[in-house]
Amino acid sequence: MIICVRIDLCIVKILKIFFMRVILLFLNTIGIFCISCDPTSPMEESWQASVNIHISHSVGAQELYYDSVCYTNAKKENYSISRLQYYLSDIHFYKDGKLQYFWNHTLYIDAFKEQPNISLGNISPFTYDSISYLIGVPAVRNQHGMLPSTYENLAMEWPDIMGGGYHFIKLEGHWRAANDISGYAIHLGTLPCIVQGSISVKGTFTAGENHVLTLHMDINEWFQHPYAYSFEHDGVYTMGDSLLMNLIAINGKDVLQPSY
Amino acid sequence: MLALSCQKAGQSQKDPLVEDSIEVVLTPYSLESPAHFPRPIIPDDNPPYVERILLGRKLYYDPILSQDGRSCASCHQQTLGFTTHMMYQGMPVLPHVNLAWNTNFMWNGSKQGTLEEVMLFEVQEFFQTDLNKINQDKTYKHLFRKHFGVSEISYKELAYALAQFVRTMISRDSKYDRYMRGLATLSYDELEGRNLFFSEKGDCYHCHINPILTDNLFHNIGLDSNYNNMADRGLFLVTGNPNDIGKFRTPNLRNVALRSHYMHDGRFTTLKQVIDFYNNGVHNSPTLDPIMTKPGKENGLNLTEIEKLQLVAFLHTFTDSSFLQDTSLSRP
């Protein structure tokens, strides 16, 4: 009887050790699997590139100052900037016309506030020879309430009775008209007037490196190329005027350029 | 799990306002934003609690805060949308409504920051509250000990309690709000007024943004062409920047039809006068907001008399009877 009990105890002990080892092996396997899934693990990082896109602004070669009539447009009109707010959306990278990477989001930018940073995080390395972007809000998000209800987004809403969605850009300020200072307000909205920009620029995002790409907006470009815009002759207020909005939208196609 | 359940049950985390030796039990309060509003601004060191809101409400209606028998409610009357028909120092009293979303306060932005900072100004400078009087009051002594955990009441606790209450003064149920939620129908004139408000013809929406009805920013809307009068200089008096001459904070239009004075100096006494001004009274000046200068509208908005009345009809839909009669905001 005593022996039997001892044999039973031995079997139980052996089974316990066996199951503990199986469990430990199982936990180890899970642990290794989890580590390999972690996108921030050192092992994986070396295979990926990190990219930060910065946005900057100037007016020609001049710094951006608040409401100072110190800038000159292509038509030799002196003007200031008191507001520049816009949305930057859907940045796509191409190589030989083939899409390499896309960032399909919408970012609100106020040129007079701290510039937000677009972090593409850990991405697979790639080479590109052109970048496309939108200034505005693409159709899928250009509806009332599609962007978060922040003060900024609410202030950018385009009234529903005028087509709805959001202002793509608000560029406002003053200009020297004859002997007087007067205002201008360049507002774009509604999908036909979304700015579809593209840049020819070569680059490579290399594995294991942190890259910074600066996209720079020369605000003068809104009034410069291909159409030399005049406040006096073309107009100082674009909202609701599809002809003027289209002129400005076309000028915006190359308003962002890489800066080195 | 245990930690989570502790936090949910009540205030067990360390409150910076509470003295170590005093135990305070508080009930968290959920401040609900109206649909499509941004998140309200609530500082980390003054999260809303039922008991502190009630204490703030008691203070709001209590003349103990002042030296001359006035309380906050003397100039901020609920039946008028928490403002008054009286002027104060030549300016209409701005209503206490939806201030939980504001970062700029007063007509010229002389106060900026959180509601707590503004309320600190109110008790410390505006009312010059006598702290001895407050500390000798047994009820307040007891309530502040119980709900703020302090044995000596300071301006800070007074301001924080007031801010807690003022943050709950939320208008969200005007006829226009209900229309937006599909629960009310606007009349023909109100709808036409809405179309004017949200179109380039009336162009009110650029500053009175939907659904908050203020952008909480500063604009020169062209009331004057010269600024010899100091009171007309607006934000310039705060910043000293010549670009800010004549700029004033966009007032919230909620319950606007109940007011008896409009603009920073109360120069207009009816909504019709306000619309007449926008229609053909705008003065040019170097700081006039660019939105106010439109081609073809140099001579005004060219509204017909009927359109003006339709705009007025729409402005009346911002009256929020629920807010005006909300017993949780009334005198305790």
Side-chain angles (χ1 to χ4, degrees), chain A residues 113-133:
Chain A
K113 292 191 175 160
E114 193 180 342
Q115 297 311 296
N117 182 36
I118 301 172
S119 178
L120 301 185
N122 295 324
I123 60 175
S124 299
F126 64 86
T127 298
Y128 58 93
D129 57 20
S130 69
I131 302 172
S132 72
Y133 60 85

Side-chain angles (χ1 to χ4, degrees), chain A:
Chain A
M1 186 68 179
I2 294 168
I3 295 168
C4 279
V5 169
R6 279 180 182 169
I7 290 168
D8 281 356
L9 282 174
C10 283
I11 292 168
V12 168
K13 202 169 182 180
I14 288 165
L15 282 173
K16 265 186 182 174
I17 290 167
F18 174 74
F19 280 118
M20 275 178 70
R21 282 188 177 172
V22 167
I23 288 166
L24 279 173
L25 186 67
F26 178 70
L27 288 174
N28 266 341
T29 312
I30 287 176
I32 290 164
F33 182 71
C34 286
I35 288 168
S36 64
C37 287
D38 181 358
T40 58
S41 72
M43 191 190 294
E44 196 68 12
E45 263 181 9
S46 62
W47 294 96
Q48 293 183 321
S50 171
V51 180
N52 285 300
I53 301 176
H54 293 174
I55 312 295
S56 63
H57 304 90
S58 72
V59 188
Q62 293 173 272
E63 275 184 52
L64 180 61
Y65 298 106
Y66 177 75
D67 211 6
S68 171
V69 189
C70 62
Y71 307 121
T72 308
N73 66 16
K75 288 289 189 181
K76 308 294 178 201
E77 294 165 329
N78 295 323
Y79 73 103
S80 75
I81 296 160
S82 59
R83 182 196 295 262
L84 174 56
Q85 295 157 340
Y86 62 98
Y87 289 111
L88 179 62
S89 302
D90 295 11
I91 301 175
H92 293 185
F93 295 82
Y94 296 90
K95 168 77 173 165
D96 298 328
K98 197 174 162 189
L99 183 65
Q100 301 296 304
Y101 184 84
F102 62 86
W103 176 84
N104 278 355
H105 298 277
T106 293
L107 183 72
Y108 170 82
I109 295 173
D110 184 332
F112 288 103
K113 292 191 175 160
E114 193 180 342
Q115 297 311 296
N117 182 36
I118 301 172
S119 178
L120 301 185
N122 295 324
I123 60 175
S124 299
F126 64 86
T127 298
Y128 58 93
D129 57 20
S130 69
I131 302 172
S132 72
Y133 60 85
L134 299 175
I135 291 181
V137 185
V140 67
R141 274 163 257 148
N142 195 38
Q143 295 161 46
H144 169 75
M146 287 299 284
L147 298 179
S149 292
T150 62
Y151 241 111
E152 292 81 7
N153 288 337
L154 292 173
M156 291 292 272
E157 281 197 354
W158 193 269
D160 55 0
I161 61 170
M162 294 177 70
Y166 296 88
H167 283 73
F168 299 156
I169 182 171
K170 288 181 182 178
L171 172 55
E172 298 171 11
H174 295 89
W175 68 290
R176 201 179 303 281
N179 298 319
D180 210 358
I181 295 286
S182 191
Y184 73 89
I186 304 294
H187 290 198
L188 297 186
T190 65
L191 285 172
C193 298
I194 196 164
V195 178
Q196 302 183 49
S198 63
I199 312 165
S200 286
V201 54
K202 289 181 179 173
T204 300
F205 294 139
T206 316
E209 287 187 22
N210 297 322
H211 297 269
V212 174
L213 172 67
T214 299
L215 297 179
H216 180 78
M217 179 184 286
D218 176 356
I219 298 164
N220 245 346
E221 284 296 330
W222 288 105
F223 306 119
Q224 196 155 291
H225 178 75
Y227 184 78
Y229 192 95
S230 162
F231 295 126
E232 184 172 4
H233 298 294
D234 295 308
V236 295
Y237 197 89
T238 62
M239 190 154 179
D241 186 329
S242 55
L243 188 68
L244 289 187
M245 288 199 296
N246 272 319
L247 281 179
I248 295 292
I250 291 166
N251 276 0
K253 285 181 189 299
D254 55 359
V255 78
L256 281 177
Q257 292 293 330
S259 173
Y260 303 102

Side-chain angles (χ1 to χ4, degrees), chain A residues 66-68 82-83 85 144-145 149-151 154-162 167 170 172-174 180-185 187 235-237 239-240, chain B residues 36-39 101-102 194-195 198-200 203 205-206 209-212 214-216 219 241 243-244 247 284-291 293-295:
Chain A
Y66 177 75
D67 211 6
S68 171
S82 59
R83 182 196 295 262
Q85 295 157 340
H144 169 75
S149 292
T150 62
Y151 241 111
L154 292 173
M156 291 292 272
E157 281 197 354
W158 193 269
D160 55 0
I161 61 170
M162 294 177 70
H167 283 73
K170 288 181 182 178
E172 298 171 11
H174 295 89
D180 210 358
I181 295 286
S182 191
Y184 73 89
H187 290 198
V236 295
Y237 197 89
M239 190 154 179
Chain B
H36 304 301
F37 269 54
R39 281 187 182 179
W101 288 270
N102 276 26
R194 177 183 179 272
N195 290 343
F198 290 109
S199 73
E200 285 303 290
D203 196 9
Y205 67 93
H206 270 117
I209 63 175
N210 194 30
I212 306 175
T214 173
D215 61 359
N216 198 25
H219 304 274
N241 184 342
N243 287 323
D244 292 333
K247 291 182 181 176
N284 198 12
S285 74
T287 61
L288 179 66
D289 198 284
I291 290 294
T293 52
K294 294 185 180 185

Side-chain angles (χ1 to χ4, degrees), chain B residues 12 19 113 119 208 266 268 276 283 286:
Chain B
S12 62
E19 291 175 14
M119 291 302 143
H208 298 285
F268 304 129
D276 280 338
H283 296 280

